[in-house]
């Protein structure tokens, strides 16, 4: 049926790859495509040098995937 709103996680502003994949729900290949296009960038800033990316970048990449109003790169589905 889905998660109750109160049980949804409080997503951090910066996420490692595993958390970013869980947050977006996309496949690893899609995440790599976003990286190749420069939409999402992982930087060595996390604990013990872990690579993290900004939640805002993930949100913007998702908007392009679903044709967000601000997107010039929106994917169109027929």
């Amino acid at each position: 049926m889905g998660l109750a709103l109160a049980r949804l996680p409080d997503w951090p502003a910066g996420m490692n790859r595993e958390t970013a994949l869980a947050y977006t729900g996309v496949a690893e290949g899609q995440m790599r495509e976003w990286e190749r296009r420069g939409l999402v960038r992982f930087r060595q800033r996390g604990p013990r040098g872990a690579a993290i990316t900004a939640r805002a970048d993930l949100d913007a990449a998702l908007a392009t995937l679903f044709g967000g109003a601000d997107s010039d790169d929106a994917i169109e589905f027929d």
Side-chain angles (χ1 to χ4, degrees):
M1 178 147 293
L3 290 173
L5 187 57
R7 297 195 62 187
L8 290 175
D10 185 19
W11 297 102
M15 300 179 209
N16 64 21
R17 180 172 298 276
E18 181 181 341
T19 306
L21 288 167
Y23 175 72
T24 60
V26 301
E28 176 70 35
Q30 179 65 62
M31 188 67 68
R32 284 193 305 269
E33 171 68 14
W34 287 342
E35 288 180 89
R36 186 187 67 72
R37 293 175 53 201
L39 297 173
V40 173
R41 289 184 43 203
F42 285 88
R43 297 169 183 89
Q44 306 295 109
R45 300 284 192 268
R48 295 178 300 282
I52 62 171
T53 191
R55 183 179 64 212
D57 290 348
L58 295 169
D59 290 339
L62 281 170
T64 67
L65 186 64
F66 292 104
D70 297 16
S71 173
D72 292 333
D73 298 328
I75 298 171
E76 293 185 22
F77 296 97
D78 294 326

